[in-house]
Amino acid sequence: MKGTAGFGYFREVLCEAVEQELALSETLEYELAGLPAGKLAIAKDGNHYYFSNHMGRVNKGITRNKELVYKLARRRYLECLLKELKDDLNFARKAKAYLKAGQNVELEKTRRLYSSTAELLDVFQDAGLDIMRITCSAKQYEWSKAEYKKNELYPEQLKYRTSAGVAVRSKSEQAIGNVLEAFGIPYRYEQGLRVEVQWMEIGGEMIAPKYKTYYPDFSIMLPNGQLIIWEHLGRVDLNSYRNHNAEKISALRGSGAVHFDNFIVTYESDILSISDIEHIVVSRILMRMVR
């Protein structure tokens, strides 16, 4: 590939990634400056967890002060995210330099996934903390807990459950839901979305459009209230399935869903492993979750 357009394309992608990650680092550091000082420490005694604020040689118990516990948990989460972001930024800079010199680099194998962040959230969850309160804005948290219009068709197909108990229709959707939950990303499964599908012309006049309700697999809310739609296409071997989803995807695009922005479409070949799903979540969603 030396000297081909492929290197030029990846250089552009990496330049954009560096700029985005620099901006995100500044956002994280700004929020950290406004959070309480200290480090949340967690101790277990039998079946009970206790929380304290560790500041230098002072370790002050704060188990009953839930507001402070969650603010310090947010601090640890952002600090962990910032560290991994900087590691990722260093890699992007090195990869950019390699590509500029015409050297090959295996991006997918080398790029770090944010495993430490997910592991930290596991610790918080084991200690009985609601990780959505740590990773989400107040608006996202309220949205994630509210009732919504769900797809009521074929309830017998809801055979699988995610780690949080959400009933889904396939093992692939179960895996996607599990990864979203592991990273504390709020989503709704098969939330009804009313979409304008077409205008009608009668007697030479345009009348009000028709509307139809579709049920995207995953609707994910960002801190600014924008929704990301994730549609996973698992049974493309079936004509009826392909036709239905082609119509749905066309309608979603017409309503403002844009690929590589607020619209993710995957096939079975895209998510052959959990790492594949993690890569999509980190690159397309997690980096937009900082409020």
Side-chain angles (χ1 to χ4, degrees), residues 2 13 16 18 28 34 36 40 42 48 52-53 69 92 97 136 161 165 167-168 173 185 222 226 233-234 238 271 283:
K2 186 174 181 179
V13 170
E16 183 179 350
V18 168
L28 291 172
L40 181 66
I42 303 173
H48 299 282
S52 59
N53 186 6
V69 167
C136 295
R161 289 193 177 271
V168 297
E173 291 177 342
I185 294 173
L222 297 177
Q226 181 185 12
L233 306 178
L238 301 177
I271 56 168
S283 61

Side-chain angles (χ1 to χ4, degrees), residues 67-84:
E67 183 178 354
L68 182 56
V69 167
Y70 276 103
K71 285 183 177 179
L72 289 174
R74 174 74 176 173
R75 168 174 280 281
R76 280 194 64 181
Y77 167 71
L78 292 181
E79 287 173 342
C80 186
L81 195 61
L82 182 60
K83 181 182 182 303
E84 295 202 287

Side-chain angles (χ1 to χ4, degrees), residues 3 9 16 46 49 53 64-65 88 99 102-103 118 125 144 172 177 201 208 236 239-240 242 249 269 271 275 288-289:
Y9 168 75
E16 183 179 350
Y49 284 89
N53 186 6
R64 295 183 180 181
N65 190 344
D88 201 32
L99 291 172
Q103 300 174 16
Q125 191 166 44
S144 71
S172 294
E201 183 177 355
V236 292
N239 286 333
S240 58
R242 285 201 308 273
I249 288 173
S269 58
I271 56 168
S275 293
R288 301 174 69 183
M289 282 292 291

